[in-house]
Amino acid sequence: LLGVCSSVPNNSFFVALPAPPASSFKQKGGHCDESQIKVEPKIYVAFMVNEGDSLKIANGLMGDGAWLQPERGTLPINWGIDPLLVRHFPALMAYYYATMSEKDYFFAATSGWGYAHPAYFPADALLPYAELVNKGGGLADVRFIDIWHVNALKKSNSFYPFLKATGMAGMTDWNSGEQSIEYTDFGMTIIKGNQYYTLGDPEKFAAMLVNDMEGVKPPWFIIVYGAHGHGTPYKFSEVAKRLPADRFKVVKLDEFFAAANNAKPEMKGRVWRPGPNAPKGVAP
């Protein structure tokens, strides 16, 4: 039902490398305390780079050497990793935990345990898979997840039990139709974003964000997701320096979700829909 994308030689070599202790897989800086996060009147931006579900990404320094770009460590960036890689290739993945900065943050991708589309699983496989995702979250010290192609699952009664069983604190959702937040009754927050694989020219992209958010009353929450040509430390840095600091704040996913949860009274029910024929700003 799932796999790990490879596209690199010598997989057996990476498997055979001596495994470091489990304590190696802890995020530098840990996770923020939600109760200590004060919501600011800002447009919160979460830069998320690469889906991280493949050995080729890990072997390629997060895609074409992105991990070595000098901009990494100068601003908050969220990196997708697959906890299954931590189990199968622990020596390789330990490199990232050892060299991450306190401004780097890992999230589970794609779907949390191998490359999989849970929407197409047999019904009786969903909860066992969710339990693996839960286990992977502890193994890789990740609390947030990005799940692709989940729309079909949303239409079933299995969606929320599945999410609850993953044990994740929050989910980012690739939704080209809107930006919004869903607060579930079991404590998991779902933040929807429309900027997946859309970052081309950083200057133009930053101008678009500033223009799109002109009529939006903060706080607000934007996901900017990309791999390779659409999301690198260099590109994110070039976007961030063009976002007015008095209105925008680039953060790691733990602060992103903590602020969103603390802003629930202000955010619940609000939605922004892009496009020339859609109302600008935020509508109920």
Side-chain angles (χ1 to χ4, degrees):
L1 296 175
L2 59 92
V4 173
C5 304
S6 176
S7 299
V8 296
N10 299 323
N11 289 3
S12 58
F13 169 78
F14 292 113
V15 170
L17 289 173
S23 59
S24 302
F25 301 101
K26 296 296 181 184
Q27 301 214 42
K28 195 166 293 183
H31 309 275
C32 74
D33 181 348
E34 184 174 307
S35 67
Q36 300 301 309
I37 298 299
K38 180 181 178 181
V39 181
E40 300 180 40
K42 299 284 184 72
I43 308 294
Y44 286 79
V45 179
F47 290 133
M48 301 173 67
V49 58
N50 90 53
E51 53 268 33
D53 54 68
S54 64
L55 181 59
K56 67 181 179 182
I57 292 293
N59 186 47
L61 294 163
M62 291 299 188
D64 299 332
W67 191 255
L68 300 184
Q69 290 184 356
E71 292 80 11
R72 185 178 68 82
T74 66
L75 76 164
I77 295 178
N78 304 283
W79 301 83
I81 64 166
D82 185 346
L84 188 57
L85 295 179
V86 173
R87 188 184 78 169
H88 285 330
F89 311 105
L92 176 61
M93 296 306 295
Y95 163 77
Y96 292 101
Y97 287 81
T99 59
M100 71 187 303
S101 75
E102 291 196 1
K103 292 190 176 182
D104 297 311
Y105 194 74
F106 295 147
F107 65 93
T110 287
S111 303
W113 191 255
Y115 187 83
H117 295 321
Y120 301 102
F121 277 23
D124 60 358
L126 271 173
L127 289 183
Y129 176 73
E131 291 170 3
L132 291 173
V133 174
N134 195 323
K135 176 183 176 181
L139 180 67
D141 192 25
V142 291
R143 298 184 177 183
F144 304 98
I145 189 168
D146 187 75
I147 305 179
W148 285 11
H149 307 300
V150 77
N151 286 339
L153 187 59
K154 292 177 184 177
K155 299 174 184 178
S156 74
N157 294 329
S158 302
F159 181 54
Y160 294 116
F162 166 75
L163 290 184
K164 184 177 180 180
T166 67
M168 292 290 167
M171 168 188 164
T172 53
D173 184 16
W174 185 351
N175 188 315
S176 60
E178 65 182 43
Q179 297 171 12
S180 64
I181 299 180
E182 179 181 352
Y183 298 96
T184 68
D185 60 7
F186 53 90
M188 182 177 182
T189 299
I190 303 171
I191 302 184
K192 302 177 182 180
N194 69 309
Q195 299 297 346
Y196 275 60
Y197 294 107
T198 52
L199 202 173
D201 178 89
E203 184 174 359
K204 292 180 180 178
F205 188 83
M208 178 196 68
L209 287 185
V210 172
N211 179 68
D212 283 350
M213 295 296 106
E214 185 177 358
V216 175
K217 180 182 177 181
W220 195 248
F221 299 84
I222 300 174
I223 298 160
V224 180
Y225 186 109
H228 300 299
H230 294 274
T232 64
Y234 166 74
K235 278 198 167 185
F236 290 142
S237 176
E238 289 297 303
V239 171
K241 69 175 61 173
R242 291 173 170 83
L243 299 178
D246 63 339
R247 187 158 170 79
F248 290 84
K249 185 177 185 181
V250 178
V251 295
K252 296 190 295 186
L253 279 176
D254 57 344
E255 183 176 351
F256 191 69
F257 275 90
N261 289 335
N262 290 335
K264 182 177 178 179
E266 301 167 79
M267 290 298 302
K268 191 174 182 180
R270 297 171 69 196
V271 60
W272 182 87
R273 296 187 177 92
N277 299 316
K280 291 293 181 182
V282 181

